Every structure is written in structure tokens, then in C-alpha cells.
Amino acid sequence: METELKDAMRKFDRNTTIFQNKVDETIQLKKELERLKTSLQDEISELNGCRKTIEDTIRETTKASHPELVGLM
């Protein structure tokens, strides 16, 4: 009976260690996903800024060249 108890305790310890390793791994993966999410949000903000700049540039260029286009037509 003592041997069975020791075996059960070893299995329990091993399973506890494996479970804790998986919990730690999950926590690390969550942190990495949060970091990636933040990075993607930063990229989106930068792209939105570029889009706004491009739209403004096109608008200004069109306004500036409008009299010339009318003359050409």
C-alpha cells in the first residue's frame, strides 16, 4: 500500500508540474498576443494617418490644378 501511495504521489506531482507548465505557457502566449495586438493597432493608426494625408494631398492637388483642367477642356 505504501508503494501505491508513493506511485500516486509521484503521478500527482508530475501531473501538477505538467499542468503548471501549461498554465505558464498559456500566460506567456497571452502576453505575446497582447503585444501583437498593440503592435497591429499601432500599424492601423499609422496607415489611417497615411490615408488621411494622401486624401488631403489629392484634394489639394485637385483644387490647385482645377483651373488648368477647366482651361484644357
Side-chain angles (χ1 to χ4, degrees):
M1 182 165 176
E2 188 177 320
T3 304
E4 291 174 2
L5 182 59
K6 285 182 181 179
D7 285 343
M9 288 302 294
R10 262 184 277 163
K11 286 179 185 177
F12 178 77
D13 288 343
R14 186 174 65 238
N15 288 338
T16 301
T17 300
I18 291 170
F19 180 71
Q20 186 59 51
N21 288 342
K22 294 300 179 187
V23 168
D24 293 342
E25 185 178 321
T26 302
I27 290 169
Q28 284 302 111
L29 289 171
K30 183 179 178 185
K31 288 178 183 177
E32 180 67 15
L33 285 173
E34 287 296 323
R35 188 189 68 73
L36 290 172
K37 178 183 171 186
T38 301
S39 177
L40 285 173
Q41 288 172 332
D42 292 344
E43 290 292 327
I44 289 169
S45 294
E46 187 173 333
L47 288 172
N48 284 337
C50 289
R51 184 184 71 195
K52 176 75 171 128
T53 301
I54 290 170
E55 288 172 352
D56 291 346
T57 301
I58 291 171
R59 190 175 302 110
E60 290 170 13
T61 304
T62 303
K63 284 180 183 178
S65 64
H66 180 71
E68 293 174 19
L69 291 174
V70 170
L72 290 173
M73 293 178 157

